[in-house]
Structure formats: structure tokens, C-alpha cells
């Protein structure tokens, strides 16, 4: 049995706390499979220690690992830093360095938590959406970008939305392949009525579909309508494929359908590397208090077992353990109904490990 190396990057804020719980699950898995857990630096913590939010060592460790598990980055103490060294640059940087162009963000409602959503139970019960977000191009990376001062003294901010055909093709393929293992429906979200770049997006997605995926049902939707439909009738969606910025926004909206951002895992995949992380940030408002929900991170571990480490059985066991603790009525504050008793981060991690054992 070959050793599988996992690079763990706790990062900042609650990242440290939730990764501590994920490591308990990794320790459980390490009794079944030979795992080599390596820890590295990223984000504000890395900046404080090394002067950069993404040390070269972290990039090397990431490229050598079978998979990377990340907590979260960011915090108010680093907000006055220059953009180039802010914690979030570490995250964008590692995605770029590892060639991670495909972000998978599932939004699934656990029946036990259907009441925790801000939407009506009948609207959200049974939701099972996969958002496939392009991650390494689009307006977050396009050049030129910046803030300049014009001759008339006004300042002008600008970013560039850009996609090449190959960038669109590879994310479309990922979306259609993902749909094949699900309900075989893809909705491509763009703004082709006003943005030329996403007119190309629509053309290329349509071409990839016609060429190789006739068994998948393809529809197109403008992003403003998609935002509205996600709230109106989310069950109409199976796989949503979209650009970097639209995916960033829509997947956060989709996450709230499920009740809490603290329940949602994600995978960022490239052709060689993969990184797994909860979709939430470092939650400075609750950091250090032992209140954070570790389940999104623990579910990210399950996703990592399935997609990168060829451990589908362990993945399923972890998912079932999460479901079991919810069945037991255990709740962190973010998923508790008003008046319901709550437990802290470590107790939730311990409960998952107990359910696994
Ligand atoms: P956030 O996701 O950190 O927090 C939003 C809200 O959700 C907060 O009220 C927080 O307490 C709550 N929350 C988040 N995760 C939770 C969990 N596991 N359990 C319980 N409650 C949870 O978003 P934000 O406040 O907009 O950003 C805070 C910092 O995180 C910023 O510096 C931002 O740049 C960074 N950020 C990082 C990532 C990442 O590392 N992937 C993603 C988003 C934001």
C-alpha cells in the first residue's frame, strides 16, 4: 500500500480550529490507510512568519502532495496591508500555482437541517446542486487591472474579463462529466446578452456539448435570472457551470439554501493537483472562541478521500458519520434552531470521530 501525502494548511482565524478537528478524522483514516500528513503555512499567519502569504516552500509541498487540505485565510489585522501581500493573495496564488481551474461546490440539504434554512422547508428539502466554477481565469485574473489617475484628476478602477476557448472547454468538460454521474443536467450561467466574453462562453459550452455530450441536457441562463431562480425554485438545478466571479457569488447564495455556510465543502481540481477546503472564510467574529462548525472541513476531507486518494469507502463512512451526529441532534451554533442546545468545535469533531469508531 503506497503512502499518500496530504499537505494541511490551517491558515488564519477559525482555520486553525476547524483543521484541528479535520486532523482527528485524518488520524482515524491513518489507522486504515498509510497517510503522511505534512503541515504548511499560508495566509496572514504565513505573512507574519515569513513576510509573504504564500511561501515558496508551501507551493513545493503542494505540488509534491497527493492533495492539499486548507482551513481559511484572512483577518482584520491584515486588512491594511498592500494587496500584493494580503492573506487572500496566498489563496489566489496557490490556486494558480497548482493549476486548479475547476472548483466543485456542492449544495445539499441534510434532511435534519431543512428547518435551519432561511427559506421555507418545502423549497429547500431535497436540494442537491453542484456548482462547477471556473477558478483560474476570468475577471479575477485578467490583465490589465488597477486603479489609475486620469489627466482630469479623477481616479479610474478597471479589471478585465477574459476567457480563451481552451479555458472554457476544459471547465465545460468537467461540468458535463460531473453531470454524467448525477442527474445528467447542466445549466450554463453567463451574461451573454451584454458581455462579449460570456457570449464566447455560451458558444464554446454549446460546441463541447454538441460534440461529446448528447446524453446530457444543456440549458443556458443569464446570471441575474439564475440568482433569482436559485431562491425561487432551487430544485430545478442539477449541475451549474459558470465563470469565476459568477460562481463565487452564486455558490455562496446556494450555500445559504442549505442552512449554513459552515456545512459546505469544496474541491479545487487541476490536471495534476487538488485542494480541498470549506467554502467559508476565517470568520474573525468567532475565531478563537471554539464556536466554529468543523463539519464543512470534515466533509472536505471526505471529498478528498473520494476524488484524490481513491478512498471511496472512507469518504462514505465520514459522510455517514456527519449524518449520524446530526441525527443525534448535535448542533454548533450556526446550525441550531433558536433555543436548541449547542456544542463547540472540538465536541463536534469528537462526535464525528466517535460515530466513525
Ligand atoms: P466568513 O465566511 O469568514 O464569515 C461569514 C459569516 O459566517 C460570519 O458571521 C462567520 O462567523 C460565519 N461562519 C463562517 N464559517 C463558519 C463556521 N465554520 N461555523 C460557524 N459560522 C461560520 O466570511 P467574511 O466574514 O466575509 O470574511 C472573513 C475573512 O475571511 C476575510 O478576511 C475574507 O477575505 C476571508 N475569506 C477567506 C476565504 C477562504 O479562505 N477560502 C473565503 C471567504 C472569505
Amino acid at each position: 500500500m503506497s503512502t499518500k501525502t496530504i499537505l494541511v494548511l490551517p491558515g488564519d482565524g477559525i482555520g486553525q480550529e476547524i483543521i484541528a478537528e479535520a486532523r482527528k478524522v485524518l488520524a482515524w483514516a491513518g489507522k486504515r490507510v498509510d497517510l503522511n500528513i505534512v503541515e504548511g503555512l499560508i495566509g496572514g499567519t504565513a505573512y507574519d512568519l515569513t513576510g509573504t502569504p504564500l511561501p515558496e516552500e508551501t507551493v513545493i509541498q503542494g505540488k509534491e502532495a497527493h492533495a492539499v487540505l486548507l482551513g481559511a485565510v484572512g483577518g482584520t489585522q491584515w486588512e491594511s496591508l498592500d494587496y500584493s501581500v494580503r492573506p487572500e493573495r496566498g489563496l489566489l496564488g496557490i490556486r494558480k500555482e497548482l493549476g486548479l481551474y475547476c472548483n466543485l461546490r456542492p449544495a445539499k440539504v441534510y434532511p435534519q437541517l431543512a428547518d435551519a434554512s432561511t427559506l421555507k422547508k418545502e423549497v429547500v428539502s431535497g436540494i442537491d446542486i453542484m456548482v462547477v466554477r471556473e477558478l483560474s481565469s476570468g475577471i479575477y485574473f485578467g490583465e490589465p487591472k488597477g486603479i489609475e489617475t486620469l489627466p482630469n484628476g479623477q481616479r479610474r478602477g478597471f479589471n478585465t474579463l477574459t476567457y480563451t476557448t481552451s479555458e472554457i472547454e476544459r471547465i465545460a468538460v468537467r461540468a458535463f462529466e460531473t453531470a454524467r454521474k448525477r442527474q445528467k443536467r447542466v445549466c450554463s450561467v453567463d451574461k451573454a446578452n451584454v458581455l462579449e466574453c460570456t457570449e464566447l462562453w455560451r458558444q464554446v459550452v454549446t460546441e463541447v456539448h454538441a460534440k461529446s455530450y448528447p446524453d446530457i441536457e444543456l440549458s443556458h441562463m443569464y446570471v441575474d435570472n439564475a440568482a433569482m431562480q436559485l431562491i425561487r425554485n432551487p430544485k430545478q438545478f442539477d449541475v451549474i457551470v459558470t465563470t469565476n466571479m459568477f460562481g463565487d457569488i452564486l455558490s455562496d447564495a446556494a450555500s445559504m439554501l442549505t442552512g449554513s455556510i459552515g456545512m459546505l465543502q469544496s474541491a479545487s481540481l487541476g490536471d495534476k493537483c487538488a485542494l480541498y477546503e470549506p467554502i467559508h472564510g476565517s470568520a474573525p467574529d468567532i475565531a478563537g472562541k471554539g464556536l466554529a462548525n468543523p463539519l464543512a472541513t470534515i466533509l472536505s476531507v471526505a471529498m478528498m478521500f473520494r476524488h484524490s486518494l481513491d478512498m471511496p469507502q472512507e469518504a462514505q463512512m465520514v459522510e455517514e458519520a456527519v449524518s449520524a451526529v446530526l441525527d443525534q441532534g448535535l448542533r454548533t451554533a450556526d446550525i441550531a434552531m433558536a433555543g436548541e442546545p449547542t456544542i463547540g468545535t472540538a465536541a463536534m469533531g469528537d462526535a464525528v470521530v466517535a460515530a466513525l469508531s
Side-chain angles (χ1 to χ4, degrees), residues 14 72-75 88 91 261-262 277 280-286 292-293 334:
I14 63 166
V73 300
E88 293 76 6
L91 189 55
I261 202 165
E277 58 178 323
H280 58 72
S282 56
D285 53 335
I286 56 168
N293 183 348
D334 58 304

Side-chain angles (χ1 to χ4, degrees), residues 14 18 70-76 78-79 87-88 91 95 105 252 260-263 277-287 291-297 332-335:
I14 63 166
I18 54 180
L70 178 96
V73 300
T76 44
W78 297 290
E79 275 171 9
E88 293 76 6
L91 189 55
R95 287 174 181 163
R105 288 185 171 203
D252 265 26
S260 172
I261 202 165
M263 289 298 300
E277 58 178 323
I279 75 159
H280 58 72
S282 56
D285 53 335
I286 56 168
L291 296 174
N293 183 348
L295 293 181
T297 316
T332 44
D334 58 304
I335 51 174

Side-chain angles (χ1 to χ4, degrees), residues 139-322:
I139 199 163
Y140 292 173
F141 292 96
E143 299 281 353
K145 63 181 173 188
I147 302 174
E148 64 180 9
T149 303
L150 300 172
N152 65 6
Q154 279 211 60
R155 287 193 301 158
R156 173 178 169 267
F158 53 99
N159 291 87
T160 304
L161 173 60
T162 154
Y163 274 110
T164 61
T165 45
S166 62
E167 287 170 342
I168 304 168
E169 275 162 8
R170 67 184 181 179
I171 194 74
V173 165
R174 291 275 187 163
F176 289 125
E177 292 290 337
T178 302
R180 247 186 202 155
K181 297 183 201 118
R182 297 171 46 99
Q183 296 170 41
K184 296 192 168 55
R185 289 185 289 117
V186 171
C187 177
S188 173
V189 172
D190 59 43
K191 191 71 182 167
N193 49 345
V194 288
L195 296 173
E196 285 82 353
C197 181
T198 67
E199 192 183 329
L200 178 69
W201 176 280
R202 187 176 285 218
Q203 286 169 10
V204 174
V205 170
T206 305
E207 285 161 17
V208 171
H209 175 249
K211 194 169 153 213
S212 309
Y213 298 96
D215 54 317
I216 309 292
E217 182 188 315
L218 172 66
S219 59
H220 301 275
M221 203 178 270
Y222 296 137
V223 64
D224 41 349
N225 186 27
M228 191 263 280
Q229 295 295 337
L230 262 180
I231 310 300
R232 193 184 74 86
N233 176 19
K235 276 183 259 189
Q236 70 185 283
F237 295 109
D238 176 22
V239 172
I240 293 175
V241 63
T242 190
T243 63
N244 202 341
M245 183 164 73
F246 294 163
D248 193 4
I249 299 164
L250 291 181
S251 58
D252 265 26
S255 75
M256 266 324 288
L257 302 171
T258 70
S260 172
I261 202 165
M263 289 298 300
L264 292 177
Q265 69 275 39
S266 78
S268 300
L269 310 173
D271 290 328
K272 292 197 191 110
C273 302
L275 180 147
Y276 298 83
E277 58 178 323
I279 75 159
H280 58 72
S282 56
D285 53 335
I286 56 168
K289 297 181 180 163
L291 296 174
N293 183 348
L295 293 181
T297 316
I298 288 171
L299 289 166
S300 300
V301 171
M303 220 174 170
M304 178 173 75
F305 287 166
R306 182 170 284 118
H307 286 277
S308 287
L309 302 185
D310 194 21
M311 295 165 58
Q313 197 187 353
E314 284 76 10
Q316 193 177 342
M317 289 173 78
V318 172
E319 286 159 358
E320 284 171 4
V322 167

